[in-house]
Amino acid sequence: MQGKALPGFRDFYPEELTLRNHIFATWRSVAARYGFEEYDGPPLEALDLYTQKSGDEIVQQLYAFRDKGDRDVALRPEMTPTLARMVAARVQALKKPIRWFSIPQLFRYERQQRGRLREHFQLNMDIIGEASPLADAELMAAAIDIMRGFGLTASDVQLRVSDRRVIRTLLTGRGIKEAQLETAFAVIDRSERVPKNVLEEMLRDAGYGKRETSAVFDVAALRGQDALKAASETGESLGQAVQALESMGLGEFVSIDLTIVRGLAYYTGIVWELFDAKKSLRAVAGGGRYDSLLDLPALGFGMGDVVLGELLKERGAVPKASTELGAFLIAVGGDDMPAMLQLAHAMRERGIAVEYGLRQAGVRKQLELASARGAARAVIIGPEERKDGLAVVRDLRAGTEAKVPLDKLLNGYFD
Ligand code: HAM
C-alpha cells in the first residue's frame, strides 16, 4: 500500500476538514445572504465541453481519458462550461437574472507550486442575464464580504479590478492590431511575475515593433487615478461598478489595476482578482464578464480553498475543533453502565454531543480520556448518586464538581 496521496492531492485529516467545512459554511452563508441558489453538475464531462469553452491553458492541464464506452471524457477543471451547458439547456424556462452558486471539486494537472494543487474546491458565484455593472459590483461585494466573514480587513486583502474592453481600446488606440492583442493580454497578465526581457521577447516574437512594445508596458503601468481616467474615457461600466462598491462602504478594499486581464480566454468585460494585500500568495479569487460564452450577458467568479486556507492560517483565523463535546459520561462500576448508557442516549436525543469510554475502566483513566477528547465536563454516575437520581458533574477546566439531578441534565443544563 502506498503511504501518500498522489502529488497535488490532499488527505483531509479531521483538523484539515474542520478548516474546509468552516470555509464552505462561510461561502454558503454569504451566498445565501446575497440571494444565490446552489446547484451542482457532474465531476466528469465530455472532453469537448472544455476544448470548446475553456481556452488553451486549462485544456493543457486536463485529466482526460477515454472511457469504456469509447467516449473522450475529462474531470472538470472549472465549473463555468458546465454552468453554461446547464443554463443553455433550460434557457427559456429559467427566470433571469439567474443567481446561482456551487462548490465543485476541480482537477487540473498543474505544475507543483505554492497555492496550486491538482485538485481544489472552488466557490463559483455567477449571474446570468444581466448586463448592468451593478451585477459586477454585486459579485465583487460578495467576494469581499466573504473575506470580511473570515475576519479579514482591507489591510489583509485587496480586490484589483480592470476591464478588458478598456485595455483593448487603449492598446488599439496606440496602434496595436486586433490580431496582436492576445499576446499583449498575455504580457500584461504576467507583467508583475515575469522579467521584462522575457516579456519583450514574447512581444518581439509576435511581430511587435519598438513603439508598440513600449505602448504595452505603458498600459500595464497605469494605476489609480490615471487608470480611472483612462477607463472613464473608454467606457462607463468600470467607474460605475467601483462607485457602487464605494456606496456600499467597501471602497477601501478595491483598486483599479489594468494589469488584471485574467488568464482564461472567455472574459469580455470587467475582470478582477482578489489578492492578499502583500501579494505574497497567488490570487484568492478571480472572475469577470463572459458575455460571449452564452447568448446572454453573464458574469461570475471562482474562489479556491487552497490560497484562502493558507491566508487564514497565516492570519490565525482558523477554527479549533469540529465537534465540541457537551459531556463525557463515566460509569464508576459495571453496575452503573446501564444507567450511564440510558443517560447518554437520552442526552443525544436532546441534541447534546456526548461520548463515553467504550470499555470498562477506572474513573481516573476515564477522566484522562475525557480531557484528551476536549470535553468541557464529565458526568459521573456511581451507585450512590444513582439511588438519588443524581450525577456528579465535573467541570474539567475549572476542576470543580456539583451533584445535579438527572432530569435537570436533560432539560436545559447544557444549553
Ligand atoms: P480561475 O482563475 O482559473 O477561474 O480560478 C479561480 C480561483 O480558483 C483562483 O483564483 C484560485 O484561488 C483557485 N484555483 C484555480 N486553480 C487552482 C489550483 N490548481 N489549485 C488551487 N487553487 C486553484 C476559473 O476557474 C473561472 N471558471 C472562474 C469563474 C466563474 N469565472 C466566471 N465564473
Side-chain angles (χ1 to χ4, degrees), residues 58 78-80 108 110 115-117 120 122 124-126 262 264 266-267 283-288 290 300-304 306-307:
I58 281 192
E78 61 159 337
M79 197 60 174
T80 313
R108 300 181 189 178
E110 290 251 11
R116 285 287 176 272
L117 299 175
H120 71 283
Q122 192 189 87
N124 277 244
M125 288 177 74
D126 291 82
R262 306 273 299 133
L264 290 157
Y266 48 63
Y267 293 109
V284 177
Y290 49 97
F301 74 86
M303 179 184 290
V306 179
V307 181

Side-chain angles (χ1 to χ4, degrees), residues 6 63 76 93 117 123 133 157 169 210 229 232 265 304 340 394 399 402:
L6 288 169
Y63 276 91
R76 59 187 174 193
L117 299 175
L123 168 70
V157 285
T169 311
K210 248 201 163 128
K229 193 159 160 282
S232 61
M340 188 277 283
R394 185 179 172 87

Side-chain angles (χ1 to χ4, degrees), residues 214-327:
S214 67
V216 173
F217 288 113
D218 284 352
V219 171
L222 286 173
R223 290 284 184 291
Q225 283 306 314
D226 290 341
L228 187 59
K229 193 159 160 282
S232 61
E233 280 161 13
T234 49
E236 299 285 303
S237 331
L238 184 55
Q240 285 171 5
V242 172
Q243 187 62 53
L245 289 164
E246 272 162 18
S247 303
M248 293 178 207
L250 300 175
E252 58 175 348
F253 283 90
V254 182
S255 52
I256 294 182
D257 178 344
L258 298 182
T259 58
I260 303 295
V261 295
R262 306 273 299 133
L264 290 157
Y266 48 63
Y267 293 109
T268 52
I270 289 182
V271 281
W272 54 270
E273 288 186 343
L274 189 87
F275 287 94
D276 64 296
K278 284 185 293 174
K279 251 201 122 198
S280 60
L281 305 169
R282 303 286 305 246
V284 177
R289 255 193 196 277
Y290 49 97
D291 287 349
S292 50
L293 210 53
L294 286 148
D295 285 332
L296 285 168
L299 61 154
F301 74 86
M303 179 184 290
D305 66 331
V306 179
V307 181
L308 178 59
E310 284 179 14
L311 186 61
L312 295 180
K313 278 189 226 150
E314 223 178 80
R315 295 287 184 282
V318 293
K320 281 182 207 76
S322 53
T323 26
E324 280 267 327
L325 280 183

Side-chain angles (χ1 to χ4, degrees), residues 29-71:
S29 94
V30 175
R33 260 198 273 152
Y34 274 74
F36 281 64
E37 289 178 291
E38 189 163 2
Y39 71 98
D40 201 0
L44 195 69
E45 291 267 20
L47 173 64
D48 61 13
L49 182 70
Y50 303 112
T51 50
Q52 282 164 20
K53 299 210 155 103
S54 281
D56 266 3
E57 195 176 342
I58 281 192
V59 169
Q60 279 163 28
Q61 297 169 338
L62 282 174
Y63 276 91
F65 57 96
R66 181 157 292 171
D67 76 3
K68 288 180 178 155
D70 269 346
R71 293 176 205 88

